[in-house]
Amino acid sequence: MRSIGSLFFTGLFVVSVLTACGGGSSDSSSLSGSTGSGDVHPANEFLQIYGAGVKGPLAFADAKIFALDPSLPDFYDKNSPIVTAITDQYAQIAGLKVPRRIKPPFVMTIGGDQAIDLDTGKPPVIPTLITVITKDMLTGNRPIYATPLTTLAFDMACHDSTPQTDADTFVMNLINAGSEITRIFAIADKHPIDIFSSPVIIDAKTDTLAKQEAVS
């Protein structure tokens, strides 16, 4: 097994250099049901997005939702967010609501000049974290996390896609990227990580295998 430190910093390096796209768990259920018609929730006009940006937890960060558009160079229009909000002092997304009439998948970015990494008290090393939100994620009403690993998966999916790629194919590319990242970054075979449904945090305090397995 590779050391956690070397794998983590390898991931950060790859995220920083894969910039062509603007920057799956091994269980593809996290990303399934990406397009399709019909309301995700029947209750009201908006969908509330919960979650956080984690590298460590990012407080006072801009949280933005965009339409996924593989025909664009960045795969989304950075100048036209559907909705924006700011993470609170606890790094939780607050007040981010997407109109129901706009269908997923979406691209979510978390970052900005005011963002503070709560682990260091300084601006984050990676200025913008990216993830993709699918219909299945919204149906489950579970938190959405943008992390260095989801950013890496997004960049890998962009690399494997073309301007002619449709949304479903892009999500499949994302699933494949997530599976590859899971294979490389898994702490132990019996503890596969789901990079799209939980923020795996390894830091100086996570200094034993038992602690590392507990975060996966």
Side-chain angles (χ1 to χ4, degrees):
M1 180 181 73
R2 301 185 186 182
S3 70
I4 297 301
S6 63
L7 287 175
F8 182 70
F9 286 109
T10 298
L12 293 186
F13 173 76
V14 175
V15 169
S16 67
V17 299
L18 288 177
T19 58
C21 299
S25 124
S26 56
D27 175 4
S28 61
S29 62
S30 291
L31 292 167
S32 62
S34 60
T35 53
S37 60
D39 285 347
V40 178
H41 295 289
N44 53 47
E45 185 180 352
F46 293 94
L47 301 173
Q48 178 73 54
I49 306 297
Y50 303 95
V54 182
K55 186 9 216 124
L58 297 187
F60 312 115
D62 296 326
K64 301 179 181 181
I65 300 290
F66 302 86
L68 175 68
D69 187 348
S71 70
L72 298 175
D74 296 306
F75 285 67
Y76 65 98
D77 185 349
K78 292 182 177 180
N79 297 315
S80 300
I82 297 170
V83 63
T84 66
I86 298 176
T87 61
D88 63 20
Q89 66 268 36
Y90 306 108
Q92 295 297 307
I93 297 171
L96 195 62
K97 297 182 179 180
V98 180
R100 187 183 306 283
R101 59 182 173 76
I102 304 176
K103 304 302 180 184
F106 306 122
V107 175
M108 182 173 76
T109 66
I110 298 182
D113 295 338
Q114 303 303 313
I116 296 295
D117 183 332
L118 293 181
D119 281 350
T120 64
K122 299 178 180 179
V125 174
I126 302 175
T128 302
L129 300 173
I130 305 174
T131 193
V132 174
I133 302 173
T134 68
K135 179 182 176 182
D136 185 65
M137 291 177 179
L138 294 172
T139 301
N141 198 33
R142 60 179 182 264
I144 307 296
Y145 297 101
T147 71
L149 295 186
T150 64
T151 304
L152 175 58
F154 179 80
D155 285 338
M156 291 170 65
C158 289
H159 182 268
D160 292 335
S161 302
T162 70
Q164 290 72 44
T165 298
D166 61 27
D168 284 328
T169 302
F170 183 88
V171 170
M172 287 305 303
N173 290 341
L174 193 71
I175 291 171
N176 293 336
S179 296
E180 179 65 12
I181 292 169
T182 293
R183 183 186 67 79
I184 294 172
F185 286 84
I187 294 167
D189 291 340
K190 65 179 180 178
H191 290 280
I193 59 176
D194 183 341
I195 66 171
F196 295 102
S197 66
S198 61
V200 178
I201 302 175
I202 303 293
D203 57 23
K205 297 179 181 179
T206 321
D207 54 5
T208 67
L209 180 59
K211 290 180 181 179
Q212 293 164 5
E213 290 178 345
V215 304
S216 63

